[in-house]
Amino acid sequence: MKLVPKKMLAMLGGGQLGRYFVMAAHKMGYKVTVLDPDPESPAGRIADIHLNYAYDNKEALDKIIQTCEAVSTEFENIPAESLDYLNKKIQVHPNANAVKIVQNRIREKTFLRENAIPVGLFYVIQSIEDFNEISQECFPGILKIAEFGYDGKGQKRVDDIEGALKAFAEFNHKPCVLEKQIQLDKEVSVILARSVDGEIKTHPVAENIHVNGILDITIAPANIDHLTKKNVTDLAKMIALKLNYIGVMAVEFFISGKQIFVNEIAPRPHNSGHYTIDACYSSQFDQQVRALVEMPLGNPDQHSNAIMINLLGDVWEEPKLHEPNWESILKEPNLNLHLYGKEHPRKARKMGHITFVTNETLTHDHVLHLQNIKKRL
Ligand code: ADP
Ligand code: MG
């Protein structure tokens, strides 16, 4: 159902992605209830109502049903049962089944393979016996826990079967996938929105640089050829169709020589889409609100070129605990500072980001300049 401004929307998850959803909803005059067990969650702090409960708390879910018109998520580890429960009474986008598939690497990769979407060589590991099937071709590889991993957590690089067995034991024999390590030329991502009418709009392809398994830099538009852009965009759209997806979805890709592989799917806006806040006519969060309230989507195109650099807690901690020198960012023309309102910086914790926006063509010098600013914070 089309929902007009002033209606109350619900967001499951109160991290920075949820915070930007709240901001986008507020911009359009909607109200937001955030469910997050963390009393200091970035989105909870600015929501109209913060329900401070676990994601499967019946009372909290009932409260959402009574007071909200529609619900979305910013976090793939929301129990799919909670989405199912809510969906019986109110509008839920994306659907529980799509979230259920992509929140588990075994289901996600199997779904991709079954739909003939290119994915790197992988094996499902559920018990020690599964190691009998593995071919030598899969090494060096990466063992990844099937559920609840993020930002490179729950992953281990392994060189051979013995190493993989050891890592599996370290993960307490929890279900895993073993992936062949792909020789990466580039990583890119596609963020799309699909409306209830089936219209799909994609933001320009973003190029991503990871450090220690965590996104460090996004460059948009990606410096890849036109055909590759078209191919990754078409694959992302195909995935959205197969998942019957409504809402905002991100697909991460590996590019290796002439080959393209899907790495993973996120049932929500994505860190690599933060550039859209400052550089696109409609941001990924604007699109998430529009899709949720079943209204037409906005224009996803860029009005500016952009480079986004993440600020992790490390910036506060190195070389010793200090308040970063924000002035050095704020004095730079074309540089926007984003902080998520988190009280406690920790190593590898996403605290904020900076986005450089320009009408100049992006060069490596721009990237170096921003990296230097970050280094001196
Ligand atoms: P997360 O859920 O933490 O984002 P990913 O599976 O996307 O986990 O892995 C994080 C990063 O680690 C990737 O963006 C990529 O840089 C690297 N990586 C993961 N899997 C592979 C692989 N099979 N081959 C090469 N690099 C990989
Ligand atoms: Mg990833």
Side-chain angles (χ1 to χ4, degrees):
M1 196 170 62
K2 280 192 170 56
L3 301 172
V4 295
K6 289 196 192 158
K7 296 286 188 197
M8 180 72 88
L9 312 175
M11 174 48 60
L12 305 184
Q16 57 271 18
L17 299 173
R19 183 177 171 97
Y20 284 114
F21 173 86
V22 174
M23 290 179 184
H26 280 172
K27 188 168 70 179
M28 292 179 232
Y30 294 93
K31 299 190 185 90
V32 186
T33 295
V34 165
L35 174 63
D36 190 305
D38 175 4
E40 294 186 344
S41 79
R45 284 167 183 277
I46 64 163
D48 297 272
I49 293 178
H50 179 193
L51 297 174
N52 203 195
Y53 298 94
Y55 297 119
D56 56 358
N57 182 288
K58 250 331 203 346
E59 275 166 56
L61 297 176
D62 285 336
K63 186 97 192 153
I64 289 174
I65 289 169
Q66 285 152 18
T67 58
C68 303
E69 312 281 332
V71 53
S72 191
T73 169
E74 60 115 37
F75 175 56
E76 56 259 55
N77 295 323
I78 292 295
E81 298 74 40
S82 294
L83 293 174
D84 260 337
Y85 184 75
L86 293 167
N87 191 41
K88 296 206 167 72
K89 304 278 183 196
I90 57 173
Q91 197 158 305
V92 178
H93 300 309
N95 69 72
N97 186 48
V99 175
K100 194 172 165 152
I101 290 172
V102 307
Q103 71 187 185
N104 176 297
R105 292 186 195 277
I106 297 174
R107 286 197 286 267
E108 178 182 48
K109 289 203 143 50
T110 308
F111 157 82
L112 291 168
R113 189 156 64 188
E114 281 172 356
N115 284 285
I117 290 161
V119 56
L121 177 65
F122 74 95
Y123 291 90
V124 173
I125 308 286
Q126 274 160 329
S127 70
I128 291 173
E129 285 75 60
D130 291 328
F131 283 88
N132 299 332
E133 308 295 317
I134 292 167
S135 93
Q136 211 43 46
E137 209 199 324
C138 204
F139 296 106
I142 303 173
L143 190 74
K144 300 182 181 176
I145 295 193
E147 284 187 343
F148 299 113
Y150 68 98
D151 286 346
K153 293 191 181 84
Q155 302 197 6
K156 191 129 200 152
R157 221 200 83 116
V158 291
D159 287 319
D160 46 32
I161 297 264
E162 289 75 60
L165 271 164
K166 200 164 148 245
F168 187 49
E170 278 168 32
F171 291 155
N172 293 321
H173 299 116
K174 289 202 187 105
C176 287
V177 292
L178 176 66
E179 297 178 17
K180 180 184 171 68
Q181 185 171 337
I182 290 166
Q183 195 68 43
L184 301 180
D185 291 322
K186 273 196 185 194
E187 291 190 68
V188 300
S189 55
V190 174
I191 293 162
L192 64 76
R194 184 161 178 265
S195 72
V196 73
D197 306 333
E199 182 188 32
I200 298 182
K201 298 222 169 172
T202 59
H203 286 292
V205 180
E207 180 174 336
N208 302 318
I209 301 166
H210 292 82
V211 175
N212 298 326
I214 306 179
L215 183 66
D216 184 33
I217 300 177
T218 294
I219 300 164
N223 184 17
I224 54 173
D225 62 72
H226 181 73
L227 185 65
T228 309
K229 274 185 193 170
K230 183 174 175 347
N231 287 342
V232 291
T233 305
D234 287 349
L235 284 169
K237 287 181 183 171
M238 198 195 296
I239 292 170
L241 288 176
K242 301 260 182 209
L243 290 172
N244 214 353
Y245 200 91
I246 295 168
V248 169
M249 188 186 88
V251 185
E252 298 176 11
F253 293 89
F254 294 147
I255 298 178
S256 179
K258 292 217 171 318
Q259 288 181 295
I260 295 170
F261 302 101
V262 171
N263 172 29
E264 59 173 354
I265 305 164
R268 52 169 173 79
H270 193 259
N271 191 171
S272 69
H274 284 352
Y275 84 88
T276 66
I277 300 168
D278 298 305
C280 294
Y281 295 99
S282 274
S283 75
Q284 58 174 348
F285 303 101
D286 295 330
Q287 302 289 54
Q288 190 183 23
V289 175
R290 286 163 176 260
L292 179 61
V293 299
E294 301 192 349
M295 290 284 195
L297 300 174
N299 176 358
D301 292 343
Q302 281 181 260
H303 49 68
S304 307
N305 297 322
I307 303 171
M308 189 274 329
I309 300 201
N310 266 339
L311 301 176
L312 304 182
D314 308 50
V315 170
W316 279 250
E317 294 205 340
E318 283 165 6
K320 60 178 186 349
L321 197 62
H322 69 288
E323 186 63 25
N325 176 10
W326 301 122
E327 199 178 330
S328 65
I329 293 175
L330 297 172
K331 74 171 191 216
E332 285 283 322
N334 302 19
L335 203 50
N336 290 333
L337 173 64
H338 293 250
L339 291 171
Y340 309 144
K342 297 183 184 178
E343 289 299 335
H344 309 290
R346 278 194 307 271
K347 251 193 161 38
R349 186 175 198 209
K350 288 175 177 167
M351 300 295 291
H353 66 270
I354 49 182
T355 309
F356 173 69
V357 275
T358 182
N359 290 321
E360 289 172 22
T361 303
L362 297 174
T363 66
H364 191 58
D365 283 348
H366 288 122
V367 177
L368 286 178
H369 179 58
L370 294 173
Q371 280 177 316
N372 276 329
I373 290 173
K374 180 172 159 182
K375 243 184 247 156
R376 290 197 305 266
L377 280 178

